[in-house]
Amino acid sequence: MNETGKIMAQQVDAVDKPPKARVDMAIDTTGPESAGERYRRKRDYLDGFLSEKPTGVAPTEPGGEVYEAVIEALKGIYDPEIPVNIYDLGLIYGVEVSDGHAIISMTLTTPNCPVAESMPGEIELTVGSVPGVGHAEVNLVWDPPWDPGKMSDEAKLEMGML
């Protein structure tokens, strides 16, 4: 821009062709490593971090064996009207496991759901059969009400919503 605030443009007839990019231009060839070492994929710095399991987690806490087994059991129960499991549907609001007792807080898609009477019993039986859980209790809650925003991305993809 000049002093008056106008944008100045320059007209050209041709532009020099840029040089072709080459892989060896991006790699420092002055080091002691061979060509094979230079072009081989370098180890991902997150590999060790991502493969590491949490240490010192109680079996009944998130990340623990019993807790994760309860979540997997819940993922095996499907809503009869929707081909998605109840966990990914967002119907499970909370899971608490302590001393062999599991408490599941959940809702249904609607209070008039046809499985309102049978679903809690099915969940109690399924979660109660998980090793480390002796008794399961299901609390059916309606607040906050369920909405499709509570679904996981996997469930949305399965339903064609993504």
Side-chain angles (χ1 to χ4, degrees), residues 70-147:
V70 168
I71 298 299
E72 283 304 311
L74 291 170
K75 287 183 177 182
I77 301 172
Y78 285 78
D79 186 296
E81 297 174 325
I82 306 171
V84 179
N85 69 65
I86 61 172
Y87 190 82
D88 287 334
L89 264 177
L91 298 178
I92 304 300
Y93 286 171
V95 175
E96 296 176 29
V97 182
S98 64
D99 298 328
H101 184 76
I103 301 172
I104 313 296
S105 296
M106 68 167 294
T107 192
L108 297 171
T109 54
T110 176
N112 298 326
C113 184
V115 294
E117 292 181 18
S118 62
M119 182 69 74
E122 180 183 353
I123 293 170
E124 285 180 0
L125 288 172
T126 303
V127 172
S129 67
V130 171
V133 176
H135 181 263
E137 177 184 337
V138 175
N139 295 326
L140 200 55
V141 296
W142 302 108
D143 189 38
W146 180 85
D147 65 81

Side-chain angles (χ1 to χ4, degrees), residues 4-5 12-13 17 23 25 29 35 41 43 61 65-66 70 75 78 80 88 91 101 104 114 137 142 157:
T4 61
V12 294
D13 294 327
K17 190 174 181 180
V23 173
M25 292 169 66
T29 57
R41 183 168 190 254
R43 182 171 178 218
E61 295 296 319
E65 291 176 25
V66 176
V70 168
K75 287 183 177 182
Y78 285 78
D88 287 334
L91 298 178
H101 184 76
I104 313 296
E137 177 184 337
W142 302 108
L157 186 62

